[in-house]
Amino acid sequence: MEAMKIPKLFYGLGIFACVAIYVVYIKWHVDSKPISAITEGATESRRDELDHPTLTTDHAVFYGIMFDAGSTGTRIHIFKFTQKSKETPKLTHETFKALKPGLSAYADDVDKSAQGIQELLEVAKDEVPMELWKFTPLVLKATAGLRLLPGDKAQKLLDKSPSFWLKQAKPDSLRDPINICPYLSRLVTVEQNEVKEIFQASPFFVRDDCVSIMNGTDEGISAWITINFLTGSLNASRKRSVGMLDLGGGSTQMTFLPITEISLQTSPAGHITSFQMFNNTYKLYSYSYLGLGLMSARLAILGGIEGQALKEGEELISPCLSPGFQCEWEHAEIVYRIKGQKAGEHLYESCANKVAKLLYKKVHKTEAVKDLDFYAFSYYYDCAAEVGLIDKGKGGSLTVSDFEIAAKYVCKTMEVKPGDNPFLCMDLTYISLLLQELGFPKSQVFQLARKIDNVETSWALGATFHYLDSLHRLQY
C-alpha cells in the first residue's frame, strides 16, 4: 500500500503543475499579443494611452513617423529605432520623402492637401511592419512659415484646416507678421478636421495632439536634440554638447546648453526653456527671431513690409543690389519690383550700413556662445556652398570671418555685374553681421552639415524623440 501512495502523490503534483503552467501561459499569451488580441473597441480606447511593449524589452525595435508640413513642401520622416533596456534609443534607419508644394499652395484649394498626405502615408505603410502599425506614433508638425502668407490667404488656409493645428501653438505675439491669435477662438470650434480624420483612419497610433504648429523655440529645441544625438553628445556626460544655429526663410533660431549658471541668470526672459527627456532635465538657451529669416530679412532690407503689396508703379530700391539692376521678386505669394541704386558708394559698405540698421537692437548678444562648438544649417549652409566656402555635398567648417570676406568679394564683383544670384551680396552681408550681433567673434568656427551618418540634420528626428519619450513617460 505504501508503494502505491508515492505514484499517486506524484500524479497529483503533476496535475497541479500542469494547471499552473497553463494559467501562466494563458496570462502571458494575452499580455503579449498587443495587436491580434485587441478588439476594435479596445483599439480606439488605447489611442490615448500608448501600450508600446517594444520600449521596455531588450534590443526592442520600434518606429516613429513625423510629418514636416512646411510652407514650401510636406515631408515624411520614418525613423526606425532599437533600444536596450534602460538605455537611450539608437537610430538604425530613416526613410524620407518630400512632396511639393507646401501648405501655402492650398490656401485657395485646401482639399488637395489630403492627396499628398495620403500618398506619404502609403510610404509609411510600406516601411513599417504591419504588426507594428498600431504601436507606431503618427505626428504632423507645421512650421511657422505659413504665417508669412498674406492675411486673407493665411486665414483661408487656417479656417479650413483642423482646429488642433493651433491647440498647442505658442504664437510669437507681436513679432508675428500675421497675428493668428484672433483666429484661435473660431478655429477651436471647427468640426471638420480633415487631416486628423485621415490620421485617425490610418492604421497607426494617433493621439489628440498628433497635429500642431511648432513655434520657433520648439524648432530650435528639436534641432538641438537631433544634432546632439547624431554627434553622440546627448547623454554622454564626458562629451560637451554642441549648439545649433538655423537660418530659415522666415525666422532664425539659436539653441545651446549654457555651461555656467551665470549664463542662465543673465539671459533675457523667454530665452531659457527646460524640458525632460530620457530621464534627464535640460535647461537650454533657445530663441527664435521671427522676421529675421533670410527671405524676410531680404524684404526688410529692400524696404518692404511683410504681407503688404506695393502700390501701382512702386519699386523697392536697395543699396545691396547691383547699380541699375532691376527685376521682379516673389516672396510669400506677393510679387515685388526691385531695383539697385545708382553707382556711387561701395556696395559692401552701403549694404552693411543698411543691414546694421535692420539688426539694431533686434537680437540679444550673448557672450556664452564663444566657449561652445556650433553647427549651422539651412541658408547658412546654402550660401556658404554657393560661394565655395564648403563642399556642396559634404559640408565643412568655416568662420564668421569667412562669411565676411566672401561678402566683401561678392559685393565688389557685383558693382560691375549682378551675377547669377542678384541677392548674394545682400545675403552674405546679412549672415556675417547677424552672427556678430548674436555674439560670435569673427574667429568662431562653425560646422556645416546637411547629414551626419547619412541622417538629415533637421528638427524632425529630435521632435520624434521627444514625442516618443513623452508617450513612454505617460505609461509610468
Side-chain angles (χ1 to χ4, degrees), residues 103-104 106-107 110 149 153-161:
L103 289 175
S104 59
Y106 301 117
V110 182
L149 283 169
K153 296 268 187 179
Q155 182 174 350
K156 188 172 182 180
L157 178 62
L158 292 174
D159 280 347
K160 287 200 174 183
S161 297

Side-chain angles (χ1 to χ4, degrees), residues 6 98 161 209 275 288 339 364 370 374 403 435 450 476:
I6 294 176
S161 297
D209 61 355
F275 67 97
S288 175
K339 186 178 180 179
H364 174 253
K370 295 189 297 185
F374 271 81
F403 274 119
L435 291 171
R450 280 208 176 103
Y476 299 99

